[in-house]
Amino acid sequence: MKDVISLLPDSVANQIAAGEVVQRPSSVVKELMENAIDAGATKIKVLVVDGGRTSIQVIDNGSGMSETDARLAFERHATSKIKKAEDLFTLSTMGFRGEALASIAAVAQVELVTRRADDELGTKVVISGSHLEEQEPTAAPVGSNFKIKNLFFNIPARRKFLKTTQTELNNIITEFERVALVNCDIDFALYNNDTEIISLPVSTFRQRVANLFGKKVNSQLIEVSVQSSMINVSGFVGTPESARKKGALQYFFVNGRYMRHPYFAKAVLEAYSQLIPAGEMVPFFLRLEVAPEKIDVNIHPTKTEIKFEDEQNIWKILSAAVRESLGRFNAMPGLDFEMGDIPEIPVFDNNGKAPSAPKVSYNPNYNPFNSRSSQEYIKREMPWETLYADIKPAKDELLEPEILPDIPSAAPLASVGEAEIKSTIKEELIPMSQYKGMYILLPVKSGLMWIHQRRAHIRVLYDTYRRQLDERRGHVQRVLFPERIDLTVAEGQMLESIMEQLTYLGFEISSLGGTSYAIQGVPAGVDGLNPVTLLTDILHSAMEATSEVGEKLYDAIALAMAKQVAIVAGQVLTFEEMDTLINDLFRCNAHSRTPDGLPIMYVQADAEIAKCFAK
């Protein structure tokens, strides 16, 4: 029998490895920026074209590479970071596996120009799909210049699954921010299509946060600083007023490396348990310093998941550090009896005698109704009877109730047709009622219909906004005083990409330069809502959508708008408001569920109700 197991060629093995390391253009940006940091660069410039689809270029002024190292760097498991297995537990560099450059070269066309400070000439290396095409000496500045073109050119299936240009650019911005945020001693710059998006000079950690996310975020930060034998914690957490449901800026860094850690995130939120509403999140930018042998970073290809030796104790230290900072900056509720700044009140001196009470004089016989100045009330007789002399009282007519048609004894109304429901409901005969400001109760032939009023309103508003987007029309309501909104770079990029759709909804927005904008008009019918909060929520929902244009983006914008404008739980409705809401609901094509799939109505059958009162 013939043998069936064989070794894969290096090019195929590299493409398989690239599937774990290089998932999208942002992965390339992350790996090349981390290599530049390990090379001791003080300036790093990233240039992308078409969101990284066409090309990615990373230029640094680091140590550079020799002719031999420049070629060897693209081999698998070739690295200068570690020499033996024990070095994995004492890592002080961002990279260590030696897989990034080999993976990138396996799925793209790579051009490297590099030179060391001691060399007169640099080296140029061109590799395409793991095949060396060119290597020659060339003039070059000190450092390295990587240019990645046509990512996934030899894997059409992977390239087809790349998202839109705006989505990929947002992912690049996210990775850029994660690397640049903690390395404050390095000058960073990011360009897209030859347009500068981010420029970050050398600064302190707080200044770096402000440069990336705006002055508003900076004004809402509280400093955290705790040192212990197990871990050192430094950075900033947000005030309770900065809490939001979506898009909270939350960053953990361990020994200069970004990480995701939901368990530690709960420790931070635990300190806010009595300060913010349930379901909201606060921003935080926390740097953790731990002995390298106490953590393991080699558990995930992207190196964003880190295992700690003693997570429970670190959880307690982290929660206590945040609580202490909140208390120190008077964010915790309490009483303040500070008397230092109160004004000095002079003491009245009456030669030692107590002041006498003021005397009040009045006339006990005064009656304002007997005064001559008061006007007398003159009662005028009106001949009311003559006005109705020709009108005869009508006889009372009793309306006989209609017999309602049967409706299937139901559970949720997903399968009940609109015509059947409309024929069942007789608003002029059946009284509607509201239960706890959340549900509308409506008797029907087969039982009692429960309608979730907020979800019903979301469905009605969603269909309205969706039609406005499709028909490209919206009613603008100008605001008396324009609202200023300061966005992050990613939010600003998303706003520019969906500005046309926002205009269809009724927004009127103008640029103030950079990532600051003025909201000069809002959609009609959003009275009482904060325009900044409304627009921010729409932007975050659009950023979570998987497509830049088309149905998915329109759906995300319309749903975010509807959730913000819809009535809140506990709002009391009049009979007319309930009647209008139900009529509008049954005009919708899909009236039984919200756009995100939540049930809107439920029929409690008569038999189910009777069973509750059975003996």
Side-chain angles (χ1 to χ4, degrees):
M1 189 174 180
K2 187 180 293 187
D3 297 332
V4 295
I5 297 178
S6 61
L7 290 175
L8 290 174
D10 289 341
S11 59
V12 178
N14 288 340
Q15 288 185 9
I16 295 174
E20 297 180 348
V21 179
V22 183
Q23 301 173 357
R24 58 200 326 158
S26 59
S27 304
V28 176
V29 173
K30 170 182 177 293
E31 296 293 345
L32 295 181
M33 289 181 68
E34 289 182 348
N35 284 345
I37 293 172
D38 289 340
T42 59
K43 289 185 179 181
I44 299 176
K45 183 185 294 186
V46 180
L47 304 96
V48 299
V49 178
D50 298 331
R53 288 169 166 269
T54 302
S55 72
I56 301 169
Q57 189 172 6
V58 178
I59 306 172
D60 68 72
N61 63 346
S63 59
M65 288 179 277
S66 66
E67 180 181 359
T68 303
D69 289 344
R71 174 64 188 92
L72 190 61
F74 291 98
E75 297 296 329
R76 291 190 65 193
H77 309 304
T79 179
S80 62
K81 316 299 172 56
I82 61 174
K83 300 297 182 183
K84 54 186 182 297
E86 290 75 10
D87 294 341
L88 289 173
F89 304 101
T90 57
L91 289 173
S92 59
T93 57
M94 303 296 291
F96 55 88
R97 293 196 184 107
E99 291 183 338
L101 292 181
S103 299
I104 295 171
V107 294
Q109 298 169 342
V110 182
E111 178 183 308
L112 167 63
V113 177
T114 181
R115 182 174 76 88
R116 296 183 300 183
D118 298 335
D119 297 335
E120 294 184 0
L121 289 176
T123 302
K124 179 181 178 180
V125 178
V126 178
I127 297 179
S128 179
S130 296
H131 298 291
L132 179 64
E133 294 186 349
E134 180 183 347
Q135 180 172 355
E136 61 181 6
T138 184
V142 175
S144 299
N145 184 344
F146 285 89
K147 190 169 186 179
I148 316 299
K149 296 184 294 183
N150 300 325
L151 186 64
F152 301 129
F153 78 100
N154 53 352
I155 311 179
R158 291 287 302 276
R159 188 171 180 87
K160 182 180 66 175
F161 283 105
L162 289 178
K163 304 302 181 182
T164 61
T165 300
Q166 184 61 48
T167 302
E168 297 299 343
L169 177 60
N170 287 340
N171 290 324
I172 289 175
I173 293 174
T174 299
E175 293 293 349
F176 182 91
E177 290 172 345
R178 291 172 179 175
V179 176
L181 189 58
V182 71
N183 295 284
C184 306
D185 55 343
I186 300 177
D187 190 317
F188 290 93
L190 174 63
Y191 292 79
N192 179 49
N193 297 339
D194 297 327
T195 301
E196 184 180 81
I197 299 178
I198 303 177
S199 179
L200 301 172
V202 176
S203 62
T204 63
F205 187 43
R206 183 159 195 154
Q207 289 172 338
R208 182 59 58 91
V209 172
N211 291 336
L212 277 173
F213 305 116
K215 295 180 180 179
K216 183 178 180 181
V217 174
N218 181 43
S219 64
Q220 297 174 335
L221 296 181
I222 299 173
E223 185 177 2
V224 178
S225 180
V226 171
Q227 294 185 353
S228 66
S229 58
M230 182 178 298
I231 186 173
N232 295 336
V233 182
S234 62
F236 305 94
V237 294
T239 61
E241 292 76 19
S242 64
R244 58 170 66 174
K245 291 184 178 180
K246 277 186 176 182
L249 302 169
Q250 298 183 338
Y251 293 87
F252 277 123
F253 301 97
V254 178
N255 297 347
R257 185 191 306 274
Y258 170 81
M259 75 162 182
R260 298 188 186 95
H261 210 298
Y263 184 60
F264 288 168
K266 289 182 179 179
V268 176
L269 293 179
E270 178 72 17
Y272 291 84
S273 58
Q274 303 297 324
L275 299 175
I276 62 175
E280 293 194 354
M281 301 177 292
V282 293
F284 57 78
F285 308 88
L286 295 175
R287 298 183 295 185
L288 313 180
E289 295 181 9
V290 189
E293 61 271 14
K294 300 292 184 181
I295 60 175
D296 185 4
V297 300
N298 191 27
I299 61 175
H300 194 273
T302 60
K303 296 175 282 190
T304 56
E305 297 180 11
I306 298 177
K307 185 68 176 177
F308 288 78
E309 187 177 283
D310 196 349
E311 289 187 344
Q312 292 185 353
N313 286 331
I314 294 178
W315 193 97
K316 296 176 183 179
I317 294 174
L318 194 57
S319 181
V322 176
R323 285 182 179 273
E324 179 185 356
S325 297
L326 290 173
R328 190 187 316 122
F329 286 89
N330 296 325
M332 301 292 284
L335 298 177
D336 187 5
F337 295 101
E338 180 63 40
M339 306 288 286
D341 296 332
I342 62 173
E344 182 179 356
I345 302 176
V347 180
F348 177 75
D349 186 9
N350 194 22
N351 295 325
K353 298 179 181 180
S356 58
K359 295 181 180 180
V360 179
S361 59
Y362 64 95
N363 184 5
N365 298 322
Y366 175 75
N367 187 346
F369 297 100
N370 294 334
S371 173
R372 295 180 181 178
S373 61
S374 62
Q375 299 180 355
E376 295 182 2
Y377 174 74
I378 302 175
K379 182 178 180 181
R380 298 180 180 179
E381 298 292 339
M382 295 292 294
W384 298 106
E385 294 78 3
T386 60
L387 297 176
Y388 299 96
D390 298 333
I391 300 177
K392 296 180 180 180
K395 295 181 179 180
D396 294 337
E397 297 181 0
L398 297 177
L399 295 175
E400 296 192 8
E402 293 186 36
I403 298 177
L404 300 178
D406 288 334
I407 185 171
S409 179
L413 290 183
S415 60
V416 180
E418 178 182 356
E420 194 172 3
I421 295 176
K422 288 183 177 179
S423 64
T424 302
I425 300 173
K426 303 294 182 182
E427 295 89 346
E428 67 273 15
L429 299 175
I430 301 177
M432 289 180 291
S433 61
Q434 192 180 27
Y435 179 69
K436 291 189 175 181
M438 296 182 63
Y439 306 98
I440 298 175
L441 305 184
L442 187 64
V444 293
K445 183 63 178 178
S446 59
L448 182 64
M449 180 184 292
W450 293 69
I451 299 177
H452 195 294
Q453 65 181 34
R454 171 169 168 79
R455 294 180 183 176
H457 199 204
I458 289 175
R459 164 53 70 180
V460 172
L461 291 173
Y462 170 83
D463 285 8
T464 301
Y465 296 138
R466 198 65 179 81
R467 283 193 300 271
Q468 289 182 9
L469 289 171
D470 291 337
E471 299 172 3
R472 301 190 175 187
R473 60 175 179 83
H475 303 289
V476 181
Q477 180 177 333
R478 297 295 297 266
V479 296
L480 184 59
F481 300 103
E483 291 276 356
R484 178 189 175 100
I485 178 171
D486 296 313
L487 304 175
T488 64
V489 176
E491 292 171 344
Q493 291 291 318
M494 177 55 66
L495 177 61
E496 292 291 344
S497 66
I498 65 170
M499 187 72 77
E500 187 177 8
Q501 287 80 9
L502 293 175
T503 304
Y504 299 156
L505 285 176
F507 282 97
E508 186 175 333
I509 304 171
S510 61
S511 176
L512 299 178
T515 57
S516 297
Y517 297 84
I519 304 175
Q520 298 177 334
V522 296
V526 298
D527 299 335
L529 294 179
N530 186 342
V532 174
T533 303
L534 176 60
L535 182 57
T536 303
D537 190 72
I538 292 175
L539 290 176
H540 290 155
S541 298
M543 292 170 69
E544 293 173 1
T546 58
S547 179
E548 178 188 355
V549 295
E551 300 299 321
K552 290 186 178 180
L553 179 60
Y554 279 34
D555 292 344
I557 294 175
L559 181 58
M561 184 82 172
K563 287 184 176 181
Q564 284 288 327
V565 179
I567 55 179
V568 297
Q571 182 168 337
V572 179
L573 302 178
T574 64
F575 179 85
E576 291 76 13
E577 291 172 337
M578 290 188 289
D579 181 68
T580 302
L581 178 59
I582 291 177
N583 288 332
D584 292 341
L585 175 64
F586 290 130
R587 291 192 189 100
C588 299
N589 293 328
H591 50 260
S592 61
R593 290 189 176 272
T594 61
D596 47 353
L598 299 177
I600 297 176
M601 54 185 67
Y602 177 85
V603 169
Q604 192 173 13
D606 288 335
E608 183 181 350
I609 299 174
K611 187 177 180 181
C612 297
F613 296 94
K615 291 183 179 180

